Amino acid sequence: MNGVTGRMGLNQHLVRSIVAIRKQGGISLPNGDRVMPDPILVGRNAEKVAALAKQYGIERSTTDLDAALKNPNDTLFFDAATTQMRADLITRAIEAGKAVYCEKPVADSLDKAIAIARLAKARKVKNGVVQDKLSLPGLRKIKMLRDSGFFGRMLSVRGEFGYWVFEGDWGQPIQRPSWNYKKAEGGGIIVDMLCHWRYVLDNLFGKVQAVSCLGATHIPSRVDEAGKTYKADADDAAYATFQIEGGVIAHINSSWCVRVRRDDLVTFQVDGTHGSAVAGLTRCFTQHRVNTPRPVWNPDVPQTMNFHDQWEEVPDNIEYDNGFKIQWEDFIRHVVAATPWKHDLVEAAKGVQLAELGLQSWAERRWLDVPKLDI
C-alpha cells in the first residue's frame, strides 16, 4: 500500500477499509473460504509509515518500493499517492506481475491512462480503480429508484459539490493540501472531479456523449502548509454540462469556493416524468408526481409553502457499509476468486478523458463530443 500517509489514503483506504477488514476477520469468498489482507505500508518517510503500521497492528513497512514489488507473496499493489507519479508506479507494478488497484485520476494525461490500461490487458493482470461514490448510500438509493422505474423517463440531473476551502491568510487554517491549487503539481478541480462525474453519470444515468465546461480560479493566492503565500494558478471551480444518452441533461457545479446551504457536501437532484429525487452522501428524498404541489408565482407576498417538507425520505431498509471498504472487498474477491469486476483501468481512462475534454472545452469555449476509447 503506497501513499497511505495522506488524508484519503490513511482515513478511507487504510483505517476504514483494510484495518476494518482485518478486524472483521477478512473477506468471505464464494466457496466459503476467507482471505485476510496482509499489507506492507510503503512511503518516503520511514518513521511515519512505521508509526502508522504500529498504530494499526500492521507488521510490515518500508521505504523501498522496488524490494516490496519483488516479493512474490505480495500479489496486489495499491497507490493513493500523487497523480503525477501514479502512472509510472502502476507501470512498475504491472511489469512486476502484480494486480493493481489505485485512486483516481490514474494518470495526469489520457495517453498515460490508455498506456497503463493496455499494459494491464497485455500482461493479463487484474486491475481496478477506486470509484467510491457509486457505493455511497445516497447514490445507491438513486440506483434503486431508477431500477424500480420510479423516475419514469429521466429528464435531467443537477449536481452541487464542494465547500469553502480556507485561504489560510486570515486566521482560519487551510483544510486541503496546497498542491490541489498548483498546476505544476497536478492540482485543479476539473482534473480531480470530472473523473468522478464520468463514472457516476455513466453508471447511474447513461453514457456521457458531450461536455461543455467552464473553469475558474476564483482565489488567486493562498497560504501553504509552511505558512507561505503562493500563487494558486489551478482551477478551484468548474461548471460543467453534459449530454447523456437517451436525452438526459446533467449539470454539475464543483467548487472549493462555495458556502454550503444544501442537505450535504454533494447533492444530486434527478428529475423524471413520474418523480424526482435528491440524494446526498447518505440520505435521499423523493417526490412522486401524485405528490407534486402546484405552487403559484406571486412576488408580492412571502412564500407560504415549505418546499422541503413536501419530500419523503427513502428509508434505510438495509445496512450501508463504508463505500471504500465495499469496493476493496469486491476487488480482493476479484483478485483471489475471479469474481466479476467492472471498475478497471479502461473505466479509469474514461475519467481522465472527460477531465481533459473539460479543460479543452474551457480553453476553447465550446461543446466537445466524448468519443469512444479504443483500448
Side-chain angles (χ1 to χ4, degrees):
M1 297 186 73
N2 182 62
V4 294
T5 56
R7 177 179 57 91
M8 187 67 71
L10 173 60
N11 294 330
Q12 295 295 352
H13 292 291
L14 180 60
V15 177
R16 296 171 193 166
S17 295
I18 295 301
V19 172
I21 288 168
R22 285 162 60 86
K23 285 182 178 179
Q24 75 183 17
I27 299 166
S28 62
L29 300 178
N31 65 358
D33 291 345
R34 298 187 74 83
V35 59
M36 177 69 78
D38 175 23
I40 177 171
L41 305 188
V42 182
R44 291 172 295 181
N45 186 319
E47 291 183 1
K48 196 169 185 178
V49 291
L52 281 177
K54 182 178 181 181
Q55 181 179 355
Y56 294 107
I58 294 168
E59 296 180 357
R60 301 180 298 148
S61 67
T62 185
T63 60
D64 191 343
L65 177 59
D66 287 330
L69 289 174
K70 289 177 183 177
N71 184 350
N73 294 321
D74 289 321
T75 56
L76 191 162
F77 171 76
F78 171 74
D79 181 65
T82 64
T83 302
Q84 291 177 313
M85 297 175 59
R86 185 161 297 136
D88 289 339
L89 293 175
I90 292 173
T91 298
R92 289 163 61 187
I94 293 172
E95 290 176 342
K98 309 299 183 186
V100 293
Y101 186 50
C102 62
E103 263 292 348
K104 41 84 1 232
V106 292
D108 55 6
S109 75
L110 180 57
D111 288 343
K112 290 181 182 179
I114 291 174
I116 58 175
R118 286 175 175 165
L119 180 62
K121 186 175 290 189
R123 296 297 179 92
K124 294 182 170 56
V125 301
K126 292 183 170 63
N127 57 92
V129 64
V130 177
Q131 297 191 333
D132 56 287
K133 287 179 173 49
L134 293 175
S135 298
L136 289 171
L139 290 187
R140 289 173 66 183
K141 292 170 185 176
I142 288 286
K143 181 180 183 297
M144 178 187 68
L145 293 168
R146 181 203 68 187
D147 293 345
S148 73
F150 171 83
F151 295 109
R153 180 170 60 88
M154 272 191 199
L155 306 175
S156 61
V157 180
R158 293 170 173 82
E160 290 285 345
F161 168 82
Y163 50 89
W164 192 271
V165 175
F166 292 108
E167 304 92 322
D169 60 359
W170 60 274
Q172 289 283 357
I174 61 173
Q175 74 267 46
R176 288 187 66 85
S178 58
W179 71 262
N180 284 176
Y181 306 96
K182 300 176 182 179
K183 280 185 181 179
E185 297 184 19
I189 202 167
I190 293 176
V191 170
D192 187 7
M193 297 313 301
L194 262 64
C195 293
H196 280 299
W197 306 150
R198 178 67 186 268
Y199 70 75
V200 168
L201 294 172
D202 276 358
N203 284 277
L204 293 181
F205 309 114
K207 303 303 181 185
V208 178
Q209 296 179 327
V211 59
S212 172
C213 182
L214 176 65
T217 304
H218 290 307
I219 308 295
S221 68
R222 295 177 178 270
V223 175
D224 66 16
E225 293 81 355
K228 295 182 179 180
T229 300
Y230 66 94
K231 180 181 179 182
D233 58 356
D235 42 286
D236 54 22
Y239 311 92
T241 306
F242 310 91
Q243 290 181 321
I244 311 296
E245 67 178 356
V248 177
I249 304 297
H251 182 84
I252 304 178
N253 295 323
S254 310
S255 179
W256 301 131
C257 310
V258 61
R259 295 178 176 90
V260 179
R261 194 179 190 274
R262 54 183 185 269
D263 290 342
D264 214 328
L265 297 184
V266 64
T267 57
F268 293 93
Q269 176 163 336
V270 185
D271 290 299
T273 54
H274 291 179
S276 298
V278 178
L281 294 170
T282 57
R283 304 176 74 185
C284 181
F285 297 84
T286 62
Q287 188 175 96
H288 196 264
R289 63 178 176 179
V290 299
N291 297 322
T292 302
R294 189 191 296 267
V296 177
W297 176 265
N298 186 348
D300 299 320
V301 297
Q303 180 57 249
T304 58
M305 285 188 176
N306 186 328
F307 294 110
H308 283 85
D309 288 347
Q310 296 164 353
W311 294 68
E312 295 181 313
E313 184 167 7
V314 177
D316 289 334
N317 288 337
I318 62 172
E319 183 177 342
Y320 294 96
D321 206 345
N322 178 279
F324 290 85
K325 177 171 173 280
I326 290 171
Q327 290 200 338
W328 263 106
E329 292 174 334
D330 286 345
F331 185 66
I332 290 174
R333 288 190 189 97
H334 173 63
V335 170
V336 176
T339 53
W341 173 262
K342 63 181 293 186
H343 311 292
D344 60 13
L345 290 177
V346 175
E347 293 301 304
K350 292 179 182 178
V352 178
Q353 177 194 37
L354 189 62
E356 283 200 356
L357 289 171
L359 290 168
Q360 183 183 348
S361 170
W362 175 22
E364 299 177 2
R365 299 177 64 83
R366 67 184 181 97
W367 277 92
L368 292 172
D369 291 334
V370 180
K372 182 179 179 181
L373 287 181
D374 181 21
I375 301 178

